[in-house]
Amino acid sequence: MLRILFLSLLLTPLVVCQRSHADSPGEQAMQQLLDRDAVVIPLWPDDGGPPNQTQPVAAETVADSKSGKPAIGNVTKPSMVLFAPPPGVEATGTTILFAPGGAYGRLSLPNAVDVCHWAGAIGAHCAVLKYRVPRAADDPGHRVPLSDAQRAVRLLRTGAADLGIDGNKIIMIGSSAGGHLAFNLANNHDESTYPAQDAADQHSARPDAVVLMYPAYLTQPTGSLTADPSLHLDRLSPERTPPTLMTVTRSDKFTFGAVNTMLRLRQAKVPAELHVYPDGGHGGCFDKYPLMEFVRPAARFLKDHGMFTETMQQQSNAFLDRLQATFLKRNPVSGDVAKSAAAEIEPVTPSADWTAGDRQLAALRKPAPEIISLWPGDGKRADDPGAELSEELPQRPDGLVRITNVSRPTIHVWRPERPDGRAVILFPGGAYNALAAEHEGTQIAQWLCDQGITAFVTKYRVPRREGMDKHAVALQDAQRAIRLVRSRADSFNVDPQQIGVLGFSAGGNLATLTVHLSDRQSYPPGDSIDAVRANPDFAILIYPAYLTADDTADGLDPLIQRLKSSNDYPPIYLAVAADDRFAPDSLHYLLHLQRAKVPAELHVYASGGHGKGLREIGGPFAQWTQSCARWLADLQNGTTNVIVKGSR
């Protein structure tokens, strides 16, 4: 029989006493599943029972739920089961208070075990909250679970010294209904839900940070953007609401709630992030790939807000690396992308007809890339109102190359040493007035080449032509670039079925239009190249601009129309910073993709502003390259939406 410790909570200071067994089946189940000693902390004094108990409930049980996972039911004596880090792991003082999900009808245990293992690996205490379920019909606003959560935080702070924890580093994590409870606590921690019981209730119930795993019920109805009124989102503020990180899978019906909450957190300037992974449904934790990847941004986010140390972040990443290694071992379809033998990149002789922008960009790589005109003849279109423009290189304060007055569009071919068959056509941003062709072009091309991907930096026509839609000539160039690369796939050593687009800001808008207007002929066909299909096989949209319009029903630009079926969409990756003014564009577009059932991934980082590319000055946003590289590898390997069997 495991050794169990109980804390008496009738008076302060707390007195630790020893027992030989746990009081309830749920506590016993947690002990057996984790196989570690724990401190069991009853939430309420024995006399009088828990407050707000409105109906009698049958005896507590532990049984498999409909999904086949063990769960606790009929909780009448709420408690916390507190696990210290295992022997050999130094305690850091940080505490994770975990609220399991279960639709407010039961408490699912597997996720609790997973989170305890993660916490133990990084030196954090983990307190599993056994809150009251099932929910009473006469409990508006989930006040009974909220009172249990408030009391739990207060008790942790009251007993911090005796428990060996830091009362100012309490992170609440919740999954599904537990995620709803965690956010309810985050924003309603000071709401009076029960009469004070003792000195513990003088402490604040505000958690220092929250992590919401596929939180449920944040909107009512589920598929709307109408917030649960009991959450009181009108009260959101940086002072009131702790830093909040959310994760969910795109196909989860609760994605609407996560997106709406992120929009409101951003509006209120609360530090927040949202990470949406491709198809994978609802539930899971460290047994589902790539959902488990959320641990990486979560550890960095918590470190940024003083909850984790740098060492804890490193240990968390190592924990995730071990999980992913287990996944790769058990899924033979995955593995390193096969690369061909090293290719000799022959020098390119500068041509007399290279424009000023072409020469400037070519000088950024040794040897210089091959430069190809998009259009035949002199490289200009006779129907272009700006055909007489003379290319210019406006100076930037940071010294990066910027190009405008483009009338002769080209693509710059960046070949990797070991190409793997994938190709990406790059569209730099610049508000359709200029091209940020270095930090959103050539620097990205090198990053892609490092992964074995052949990159094509597109110098499309800017500025926008007077009297024409801002994207008109740019879309012509983008479609022509896709067709040209696909038509010459053999000479570029790329697979014509693996040609994607990547765009930044206005270039992200342009990349989006190549998806939604792929069947629209933006110019009269002129040669055999124009008979080749122009739709990309995947799309990467980095802080895309101009995707929304206030005068439309769903907030999206009218050009972004739903395609005929989900099969008409390619897989899509999006990344943006929460403090970017275009962040709502990505969030609303993600909901469009959710409705269309498109395998999409979205990362909204807490900060980074707009237009940073992959530079470290982007702060947390600079991490987009990590998640995008993993997404590209998953796309190649077919490793998304997989359960790691036997990971526990």
Side-chain angles (χ1 to χ4, degrees), residues 234-253:
D234 56 310
R235 301 179 186 174
L236 292 171
S237 73
E239 298 76 25
R240 175 186 184 82
T241 315
T244 302
L245 182 140
M246 295 179 286
T247 188
V248 69
T249 65
R250 193 280 312 157
S251 57
D252 193 327
K253 66 179 181 178

Side-chain angles (χ1 to χ4, degrees), residues 425-429 501-509 511 540-544:
I425 300 170
L426 285 166
F427 304 128
V501 293
L502 191 164
F504 295 81
S505 193
N509 176 270
I540 301 171
L541 314 178
I542 309 301
Y543 43 82

Side-chain angles (χ1 to χ4, degrees), residues 378-391 405-408 461 465 473:
D378 65 356
K380 298 183 178 183
R381 285 193 60 85
D383 58 356
D384 181 5
E388 300 307 315
L389 289 173
S390 179
E391 208 160 282
N405 288 349
V406 176
S407 60
R408 186 176 179 272
R461 281 174 286 169
R465 279 28 174 182
V473 294

Side-chain angles (χ1 to χ4, degrees), residues 480-641:
R480 177 73 177 188
I482 297 170
R483 290 179 170 128
L484 190 152
V485 172
R486 187 167 277 129
S487 70
R488 302 184 187 178
D490 287 345
S491 66
F492 294 134
N493 198 18
V494 301
D495 183 343
Q497 306 299 320
Q498 294 193 67
I499 297 175
V501 293
L502 191 164
F504 295 81
S505 193
N509 176 270
L510 181 57
T512 307
L513 295 181
T514 67
V515 171
H516 290 269
L517 302 179
S518 60
D519 60 349
R520 179 182 297 187
Q521 190 69 47
S522 61
Y523 60 90
D527 55 25
S528 60
I529 292 175
D530 294 328
V532 177
R533 68 181 177 94
N535 53 313
D537 297 306
F538 56 90
I540 301 171
L541 314 178
I542 309 301
Y543 43 82
Y546 318 130
L547 300 186
T548 57
D550 294 336
D551 57 351
T552 60
D554 61 0
L556 291 178
D557 186 295
L559 290 174
I560 303 174
Q561 299 176 5
R562 181 169 176 172
L563 301 180
K564 293 179 181 178
S565 74
S566 59
N567 294 330
D568 294 324
Y569 291 83
I572 295 174
Y573 172 95
L574 299 104
V576 69
D579 57 354
D580 188 328
R581 67 189 178 98
F582 292 114
D585 294 55
S586 292
L587 288 161
H588 284 291
Y589 185 59
L590 187 279
L591 291 182
H592 168 89
L593 298 176
Q594 204 269 356
R595 295 184 186 100
K597 300 181 179 180
V598 178
E601 182 162 323
L602 164 69
H603 296 273
V604 182
Y605 295 92
S607 62
H610 186 75
K612 301 300 192 303
L614 49 65
R615 294 173 293 169
E616 290 299 323
I617 60 172
F621 177 75
Q623 303 300 307
W624 74 267
T625 54
Q626 293 184 13
S627 60
C628 187
R630 190 263 313 146
W631 180 84
L632 282 165
D634 289 346
L635 203 63
Q636 177 81 351
N637 298 328
T639 54
T640 57
N641 190 19

Side-chain angles (χ1 to χ4, degrees), residues 203-331:
H203 288 271
S204 169
R206 180 185 184 272
D208 299 296
V210 292
V211 176
L212 315 181
M213 298 164 51
Y214 42 88
Y217 318 128
L218 299 183
T219 52
Q220 297 180 353
T222 297
S224 74
L225 296 181
T226 303
D228 173 4
S230 69
L231 296 176
H232 302 296
L233 297 191
D234 56 310
R235 301 179 186 174
L236 292 171
S237 73
E239 298 76 25
R240 175 186 184 82
T241 315
T244 302
L245 182 140
M246 295 179 286
T247 188
V248 69
T249 65
R250 193 280 312 157
S251 57
D252 193 327
K253 66 179 181 178
F254 296 117
T255 297
F256 287 91
V259 169
N260 181 68
T261 303
M262 185 67 215
L263 286 165
R264 298 291 294 273
L265 287 165
R266 176 188 177 274
Q267 186 179 33
K269 298 184 177 0
V270 175
E273 291 194 6
L274 170 64
H275 299 275
V276 183
Y277 293 91
D279 285 340
H282 187 72
C285 185
F286 300 138
D287 61 340
K288 184 177 289 185
Y289 184 92
L291 177 63
M292 64 175 70
E293 177 73 21
F294 87 89
V295 174
R296 201 178 305 279
R300 189 259 314 142
F301 181 81
L302 293 170
K303 186 200 73 172
D304 290 348
H305 292 282
M307 299 295 103
F308 280 12
T309 64
E310 185 171 349
T311 299
M312 291 174 72
Q313 182 187 11
Q314 293 170 351
Q315 292 169 335
S316 180
N317 289 342
F319 175 85
L320 177 62
D321 290 342
R322 292 192 293 271
L323 284 177
Q324 291 179 328
T326 300
F327 164 77
L328 294 174
K329 183 177 179 180
R330 295 177 181 275
N331 292 272

